[in-house]
Amino acid sequence: MTRVLIAGGGIAGAITAIALHEVGHEPVLYEAYDRSAEGVGAFLTLAVNGLDALTPLGLKPLVKDLGFDTPRMTLGLGNGRRLSEFPLGGALPDGTVSQTVLRSDLYVALRDEAVRRGVPTEFGKRLTDAQQTADGVTAVFADGTKAHGDLLIGADGLRSTVRRILDPSAPSPRYVPLLNTGGFARGLDLDDEPGVLHMTFGRKAFFAHVLAPDGAVWWFANVPHASEPTESDLAAMRGPGWRKRLLDLARPDRTPATAIIEASENIYEPWATYDFPTVPVWQRGRIGLIGDAAHATSPAAGQGAAMAIEDAVTLAMCLRDVSNPAAALPTFEALRRERVEAVVAQGKRNGDAKAPGPVGRVLRDFFITRAMRKPATDDPNRFMWEHRIDWAAPVS
Ligand SMILES: Cc1cc2nc3c(=O)[nH]c(=O)nc-3n(C[C@H](O)[C@H](O)[C@H](O)COP(=O)(O)OP(=O)(O)OC[C@H]3O[C@@H](n4cnc5c(N)ncnc54)[C@H](O)[C@@H]3O)c2cc1C
């Protein structure tokens, strides 16, 4: 039995803990914040490859209970013209399609499920340092305590501490010149089909919304913003000024965006968007990285959570089937790196299309022309969601 310390109780960390517990190892989960801390962003749409990877762990129903079906998306322009309608990532053989969930619900449900299945889980435990020893690895926490295990897995997200420990020269996440924001609106009478995600390349901002089955409208916007905002820049954008700025950006468009922003009780404060071209070192000795810590991708890939799940399940398979725990980490990297880098690259292309300036314009035109020419068949994202992990197949 391998004792695996996991730093980060987000999507990758909680699912790794559950999967390792299922295959008979001894995971311990350490989350820096409390049980209900959720990370940035209002909601996320989980692609079918992520849902499929959850099946052998019995977690797919848990996610489906939290969310709603999001089988299709439309692509449109700010002048109200709808260009195309795509299936959003196909369907699994049992009919499961992409699910849209509240991020906070997902984090809490996964952490609770880890605890329910018997994974030792500690909240308020921020990892600050780690040392490899002859027989394992020692993790050091901000409260001065230490823990010893056979392996340490950094599932601590975009700003990973474990990544810095592993490779102090690792590249930092790169700012994409967009801010994200979003919220929920009620009481609108939209002529929309529930569960269809509408993406609009507006004149001044990118806007997406989906009508939930209970009548709420869930939305997010990408707003061009040239330089990386500091904490105080972001703080200055909170409150009524931010709503006004969004309305100014939405008003030139003939879409429901203005009405949705006006009807939103709370608007999430903006957060910066990053992508992460490559992290050269994913593992060394008894320390490894998974999820966003290893390969955060632009949110425009729509795959970050699904990739974190694929990582978690693959890592558990490696530790199940490779007898030497430290050797499981290079095996994991060999299985994952090529796919992850392809997804990150495609996410960047999708994200650039939303960016301001000539690159964004050219890419936007490219995607729009493509959408008009080949509406349903030529989906450049297809390879992302068609991927399946065979839990039953042994890893060699
Ligand atoms: C705006 C936005 C929209 C997105 N939309 C989508 C989408 O629609 N579909 C999709 O698939 N993906 C989406 N993503 C990406 C997705 O959210 C991430 O890829 C996914 O959350 C990565 O999971 P993770 O567990 O690796 O990291 P995280 O979810 O970030 O979890 C990391 C965890 O580690 C904890 N932590 C951090 N440091 C420490 C430490 N030192 N010690 C202990 N704990 C620590 C954090 O508190 C957190 O709980 C989106 C991302 C953003 C930013």
Side-chain angles (χ1 to χ4, degrees), residues 17 19 40 43 47 53 63 82 96 101 119 121 158 187 197 210 213 251 261-262 268 289 295 312 333 349 351 368 372:
V40 297
F43 66 90
V63 175
R82 181 165 297 178
T96 298
V101 295
V119 175
T121 303
L158 186 70
L197 185 61
V210 55
R251 258 188 210 112
I261 295 166
E262 278 169 347
Y268 282 71
L289 301 174
H295 50 69
E333 180 166 355
R349 282 191 285 276
I368 289 168
M372 291 169 81

Side-chain angles (χ1 to χ4, degrees), residues 1 6 15 34 54 87 103 159 167 222 250 275 338 373:
M1 187 188 279
I6 301 168
I15 294 171
D34 67 20
L54 292 174
R103 192 182 289 263
R159 302 188 181 284
D167 179 10
N222 292 152
D275 74 0
E338 191 181 334
R373 248 187 308 153

